[in-house]
Amino acid sequence: INPLQAWVGAGLDQFRMAYVSTTLEPEDASMHMGLTYEEKPALLKIYAAKGPGTPPDFVPADVQQISWGTMDWGAMFDNIKELATAVSPMAAGGMDMGMTELKKKIGVDLRADILGQMGDDLWSVSHTDPGAAQEPDGEKEEDEDEVGLGLSALALTEGQAQVVGIALRDAKAFNLSLTSMINTLAPGQALFEDRDFMGVKIHQVKGTPPNMSVAWLIHRDNLIFSIGKSELLEKVLGGMEKKPANPLIAEPHVKAAFAKLPEGGVSSGYLNAGQMMDVILGALKPVLEEQMEGDAAEIIKGLPDKLDLPWYVVTRTYLGDQAADVRLRLSAKP
């Protein structure tokens, strides 16, 4: 690959300026950061968004994070191919050959039957509980610092769950193509074990532990993926069946925060920053107490076990013909 051709093909020569602006106000703090360019670079064209998306009003108020936006998955694939052609014609030819061989083997056109049936809305929900990772009995590592940090990361991972939903144009056609692909790639193998919840069939990957389960399903014209504890998935499905009395996006403080951001954009998000800090501190505090010495150790030990800070963050991303920017606001709940 010619480095200069790759640089120009990716559109890196189009970038002009990066900027960050911060503002501290009596009620909250805001940040505005972004990039400008002469023409939209090919790299940014991969993000083939089609508008602001639809807020997930079926998500209850006690989750930690939600986001929503849009994506034209077929256009994204076409833009990736266009970028590959600009960087190296051989790469684009390889993509075409791979697609042809895949269609021959499984009888499914990935671009038309899978990606072409996905879009435009997408959303995600996540929640993290403090983990309870413990060092296995009988094992002792020489580097206790690495062990401590590893257990902290494991604690966060074990307590994390995420659910992602992608709107489908034709759910029946997509399900048929996806099932055909799975059966062809793994003939005679039972990769999933099915279970029902509120009349919805959930396909869960076999062999995954309960606190790190991986599952997928199609419900209400949405392709839904779930990673982590199943409680979050069940909470989301319950909200889709019967809208919760207190959806997160209808909370007064959330509505007020988003009202301060310019409308439009291609994606929006909410994070309960106080809860996340509490989760992170809960996982790191025992490790830091052992590693720190002197005044620093006393400060760490003096921190409360539960911070319960009333902070939250709202974000919105904008993607235009000559600029891409993100606006963020950190506020305290009233």
Side-chain angles (χ1 to χ4, degrees):
I1 297 177
N2 184 317
L4 180 59
Q5 181 181 357
W7 180 270
V8 175
L12 298 177
D13 60 322
Q14 297 297 322
F15 287 108
R16 294 295 179 265
M17 178 179 65
Y19 58 89
V20 177
S21 170
T22 57
T23 305
L24 298 178
E25 300 177 5
E27 296 181 352
D28 52 21
S30 63
M31 179 177 290
H32 182 199
M33 50 191 169
L35 296 167
T36 67
Y37 33 83
E38 187 70 21
E39 295 182 1
K40 186 182 291 184
L43 281 174
L44 293 184
K45 289 181 180 179
I46 294 176
Y47 190 2
K50 300 185 68 174
T54 305
D57 60 359
F58 47 82
V59 178
D62 58 349
V63 301
Q64 287 174 350
Q65 185 174 9
I66 63 170
S67 62
W68 66 91
T70 58
M71 175 64 74
D72 187 328
W73 302 91
M76 177 195 70
F77 178 84
D78 295 338
N79 292 339
I80 291 176
K81 183 179 177 181
E82 183 179 338
L83 172 60
T85 302
V87 172
S88 170
M90 292 181 61
M95 289 182 66
D96 286 335
M97 290 180 59
M99 293 285 290
T100 301
E101 288 299 315
L102 185 65
K103 187 174 182 180
K104 286 181 180 179
K105 290 183 178 180
I106 65 177
V108 174
D109 187 320
L110 180 63
R111 168 63 177 85
D113 301 329
I114 301 295
L115 297 177
Q117 295 294 346
M118 295 166 57
D120 295 320
D121 284 310
L122 69 153
W123 49 266
S124 70
V125 184
S126 61
H127 192 89
T128 305
D129 295 320
Q134 300 292 332
E135 186 175 352
D137 294 336
E139 294 185 15
K140 198 70 175 176
E141 298 287 342
E142 294 182 3
D143 193 336
E144 293 187 358
D145 289 349
E146 290 186 6
V147 172
L149 293 175
L151 290 177
S152 297
L154 180 60
L156 290 173
T157 302
E158 288 189 342
Q160 189 176 50
Q162 183 171 23
V163 179
V164 179
I166 301 172
L168 297 175
R169 305 182 193 280
D170 187 332
K172 290 184 178 180
F174 178 88
N175 190 27
L176 182 63
S177 298
L178 181 61
T179 303
S180 177
M181 178 183 294
I182 293 173
N183 291 337
T184 303
L185 295 177
Q189 300 182 36
L191 301 179
F192 306 97
E193 50 186 358
D194 296 344
R195 67 182 182 93
D196 289 333
F197 177 77
M198 298 181 66
V200 181
K201 182 177 290 188
I202 300 173
H203 311 287
Q204 187 166 304
V205 177
K206 280 189 171 182
T208 53
N211 58 349
M212 287 296 292
S213 64
V214 179
W216 70 275
L217 62 139
I218 295 177
H219 181 55
R220 293 187 179 272
D221 293 330
N222 282 267
L223 170 64
I224 300 175
F225 295 99
S226 172
I227 301 177
K229 294 182 178 180
S230 59
E231 286 83 355
L232 181 62
L233 173 61
E234 294 173 358
K235 181 180 293 187
V236 170
L237 292 176
M240 296 177 78
E241 288 299 307
K242 184 179 180 181
K243 184 178 176 180
N246 57 334
L248 180 58
I249 60 170
E251 290 283 287
H253 67 280
V254 177
K255 294 175 65 175
F258 276 116
K260 294 181 179 181
L261 298 178
E263 296 183 355
V266 294
S267 67
S268 301
Y270 166 92
L271 169 66
N272 189 324
Q275 284 189 9
M276 279 304 300
M277 289 181 64
D278 187 38
V279 169
I280 295 172
L281 179 63
L284 292 180
K285 186 180 177 183
V287 179
L288 295 177
E289 286 179 352
E290 293 181 1
Q291 295 179 352
M292 297 295 185
E293 297 179 354
D295 293 341
E298 292 301 317
I299 293 174
I300 296 298
K301 291 180 181 179
L303 292 175
D305 292 332
K306 187 172 181 60
L307 290 176
D308 199 22
L309 298 173
W311 294 346
Y312 66 97
V313 176
V314 294
T315 61
R316 185 162 285 161
T317 303
Y318 306 83
L319 184 60
D321 292 333
Q322 292 187 309
D325 57 302
V326 177
R327 293 178 182 265
L328 176 153
R329 297 192 79 91
L330 172 67
S331 308
K333 292 182 181 180

